[in-house]
Amino acid sequence: MVIAVAAASERGSYGHDDQPFPHDPDCSAIWTMLVERDIDAFLARDWAMVEDDFIAEGFFGLHARFKPRPDDWIMAFPELPRYRDEWLRQANETANVAYAEPLRPAIFRATDLSVIDIVGERAVARKKFNGVIARVDGGSETLDWQTLYFCAKRDDAWKITSFVGYLPRLLGEDNL
């Protein structure tokens, strides 16, 4: 079992092209897929940019509904097209908001994918969001959740097989 952890100084402070795992090709590929490519595709509202990052057969996604108890989680995405539709809905909704700061660096600033657990050709990546993005109207968007991505290596490339998303960012025994 290999658990890669980016240095504390690199967590959640990515620049546009910063790579917290420059000396680990597997973690680097997972980070690029789940952070850089996902953010760029989301902002472009272009599912085609990330479609090949998934293994469609057997894919599913659980929506934790920001609740720490697994009993409260639901099978919101029993197949990839259902997740794609929600991803595009959120991307379009985000594109219709006027932000008071450049969105790409703001999302990078709020994103922390510094812990990746790899065992053979399987991985669990812990992507956390923790930040506030200012809107032009004086309000703000708070990003405060995490997603556990389950990945597999296929044909020398890392792919997403499933996930548990919209978990509370701080998930501990006190919350269960």
Side-chain angles (χ1 to χ4, degrees), residues 68-70 170-176:
R69 289 175 11 107
L170 300 175
L171 188 63
E173 290 180 20
D174 294 341
N175 294 330
L176 298 177

Side-chain angles (χ1 to χ4, degrees), residues 22 26 83 96 137 152 156:
D26 287 319
Y83 176 63
N96 289 321
D137 66 7
D156 241 8

